[in-house]
Amino acid sequence: MTKRSFLSILLGLVLSCSSGLLYANINPIHQGIIHVPVRPSSVLVFDPGSLDTLSELGIEPGGVPVDHWAGALRKYADSRFLKVGSLFDPNFEAVYRAHPDLILIADRSRSHLKQLSEIAPTLDLTVDDRNLLIESERNALKLGELFGRVSTAVEKINNLEHSIKSLKALASRQGRGLILLTSGGRMSAYGPGSRFGILHDTFGIRPVDPNLEVAVHGQPVSYEYLSKMQPDWLFVIDRDSAIGEDGAAASRLLDNALVHQTPAWKRNQIIYLDTDDWYMIGLTGLGSLQRTVDSLILRLSGDSSDCAAEGYNCEVVK
């Protein structure tokens, strides 16, 4: 797609000048038209996906929440970034003292939209899981426009689309897969249309069970279920690792006699997905999407050693 076609998505930015700042009227996907500053000098970000995209665009935030920052977002644990609360609960006093030009929120913090909007213009960049890719790209374009980095955003989106095309071609030659999330010694499965359904809906992995319940916490499953479904591939997210809690490692949880009977175990086709990209960011940032697609291409093509050499989390069961 061309830069012109991408920009048409933004629906005509209307510019005005106020208090020395250039402002624009924009229309977020899940929010009415709002008045926001262009090229803001101070932005507070409560959304990991937006942090990930801003990092890809070369933009540093003025403040971030306190959290278990790891992986690509590890740098935001540094003290040089002002801490303004948690992902779920802003510290309104700290937000007010920061005098931000712009605040970015999403699903975890969107319940505070009204209060934050009283302090500074606030963009809700929540992404619908059913349209994760296109909405994440549209959010990236909005941020690129606001920060004067739209050419960078377009280039990265074009690269991502090319990579996804390659992944889908590769996935079409694989067997059926299942997404598992482990937490506190329990397992939940996710299928098409779910919060992790992009693996099937966009990346092209055929689901071993297309009738899984679509729920925030997935459908609880047992070892017997895995043995019955016989997945060719298991894609595993270790929630305990993602949120920094102690718990049974997903690899130990899956080292079970019934799991051993599945093609996924027998063929060494259990992939432990990057928990920061899949759970913390939720694949709503450009960087997380590109890293995920690149790592899956390498792993599905059998190049797990190259995958690790590239710096991706491509851990597999041995």
Side-chain angles (χ1 to χ4, degrees):
M1 296 179 73
T2 66
K3 178 177 177 180
R4 180 181 299 274
S5 61
F6 272 127
L7 292 180
S8 67
I9 296 175
L10 298 179
L11 302 179
L13 224 59
V14 179
L15 301 179
S16 65
C17 189
S18 176
S19 303
L21 289 174
L22 189 65
Y23 279 75
N25 291 331
I26 68 170
N27 187 10
I29 300 169
H30 303 292
Q31 191 178 3
I33 294 176
I34 63 172
H35 206 48
V36 298
V38 176
R39 301 196 182 189
S41 59
S42 175
V43 57
L44 306 185
V45 186
F46 289 91
D47 170 39
S50 296
L51 279 174
D52 184 57
T53 293
L54 288 176
S55 180
E56 291 294 304
L57 298 179
I59 302 297
E60 283 205 345
V64 300
V66 174
D67 206 87
H68 176 66
W69 297 120
L73 302 184
R74 183 183 303 276
K75 62 184 178 182
Y76 297 116
D78 194 283
S79 59
R80 67 191 174 94
F81 294 102
L82 176 69
K83 301 306 186 290
V84 288
S86 72
L87 285 172
F88 294 91
D89 295 301
N91 180 329
F92 290 101
E93 185 177 347
V95 171
Y96 181 80
R97 289 199 307 265
H99 301 293
D101 297 322
L102 180 66
I103 301 172
L104 302 179
I105 63 172
D107 51 351
R108 292 178 175 96
S109 50
R110 70 186 311 191
S111 63
H112 300 289
L113 172 62
K114 181 178 179 181
Q115 300 98 308
L116 291 171
S117 296
E118 293 173 354
I119 299 174
T122 302
L123 273 179
D124 179 3
L125 297 179
T126 297
V127 167
D128 187 330
D129 297 326
R130 295 166 298 181
N131 301 300
L132 191 149
L133 179 64
I134 189 169
E135 292 193 10
S136 297
E137 290 178 342
R138 290 179 68 178
N139 283 346
L141 288 169
K142 286 183 174 68
L143 293 175
E145 183 73 10
L146 288 176
F147 288 91
R149 303 292 174 86
V150 72
S151 295
T152 301
V154 169
E155 179 182 3
K156 289 184 177 293
I157 290 172
N158 280 333
N159 290 341
L160 175 62
E161 292 285 351
H162 177 77
S163 298
I164 290 175
K165 184 177 179 180
S166 298
L167 174 57
K168 290 179 71 172
L170 181 62
S172 68
R173 302 193 297 271
Q174 308 297 321
R176 300 174 304 160
L178 179 68
I179 308 163
L180 283 182
L181 182 140
T182 66
S183 178
R186 297 183 295 273
M187 300 181 294
S188 297
Y190 294 81
S194 70
R195 62 189 295 195
F196 305 122
I198 189 173
L199 183 77
H200 305 300
D201 303 328
T202 303
F203 298 160
I205 297 294
R206 286 182 292 147
V208 71
D209 186 354
N211 300 313
L212 280 168
E213 176 187 0
V214 177
V216 172
H217 301 293
Q219 178 176 312
V221 295
S222 63
Y223 293 121
E224 289 76 13
Y225 171 85
L226 297 181
S227 178
K228 176 183 177 182
M229 298 310 299
Q230 291 288 295
D232 298 297
W233 292 85
L234 282 174
F235 301 88
V236 184
I237 303 167
D238 187 336
R239 179 181 179 272
D240 293 330
S241 173
I243 62 177
E245 288 189 358
D246 294 330
S251 57
R252 293 199 302 271
L253 191 62
L254 291 176
D255 192 357
N256 173 277
L258 290 176
V259 179
H260 295 174
Q261 298 173 13
T262 65
W265 181 279
K266 293 176 181 178
R267 299 170 188 166
N268 191 30
Q269 292 181 167
I270 300 179
I271 300 179
Y272 291 89
L273 299 169
D274 187 292
T275 57
D276 299 299
D277 284 340
W278 279 82
Y279 189 85
M280 176 61 76
I281 301 174
L283 299 189
T284 59
L286 283 186
S288 65
L289 282 163
Q290 188 68 62
R291 289 187 296 271
T292 292
V293 172
D294 289 346
S295 65
L296 286 174
I297 288 173
L298 289 170
R299 182 61 183 98
L300 293 180
S301 63
D303 295 333
S304 57
S305 59
D306 289 344
C307 184
E310 290 292 331
Y312 304 119
N313 182 351
C314 308
E315 182 185 356
V316 295
V317 169
K318 300 296 184 184

